[in-house]
Amino acid sequence: MIRLARFGARKQPYYRVVVIEKDRARNGRSVEVVGTYNPRTNPASINLNRERIDYWTSKGAQMSEIVAKLFAKTPVAA
């Protein structure tokens, strides 16, 4: 599963986009970190490694709804 893991201080969320087994805890040990998302900046900063996300989805990993929306928002690097 590709989903968000929350980091940062209280009331200052910062997220990592991680590849993790579906039954693990939200902030449990992940397989790989494939990006970051910071909603506190204006506009929100999204940094995703598209190559690794494509690799993991080809191996059967599913994206959460939020990660899928973030993935659609980010432009393809030329």
Side-chain angles (χ1 to χ4, degrees), residues 1-69:
M1 183 104 201
I2 302 172
R3 64 183 184 200
L4 297 177
R6 189 183 190 281
F7 288 88
R10 197 169 109 212
K11 296 188 179 182
Q12 297 180 354
Y14 177 80
Y15 299 92
R16 289 182 186 164
V17 181
V18 296
V19 178
I20 193 168
E21 293 175 30
K22 188 172 181 120
D23 57 344
R24 287 207 183 257
R26 178 191 70 189
N27 290 343
R29 196 174 92 219
S30 61
V31 177
E32 183 179 354
V33 177
V34 293
T36 58
Y37 169 58
N38 188 355
R40 300 189 71 236
T41 60
N42 192 8
S45 61
I46 305 167
N47 182 12
L48 298 176
N49 186 341
R50 294 182 78 89
E51 291 177 11
R52 295 305 293 168
I53 292 174
D54 290 337
Y55 167 79
W56 282 109
T57 52
S58 71
K59 295 293 182 186
Q62 297 177 341
M63 288 190 252
S64 68
E65 289 182 33
I66 295 172
V67 172
K69 287 179 185 179

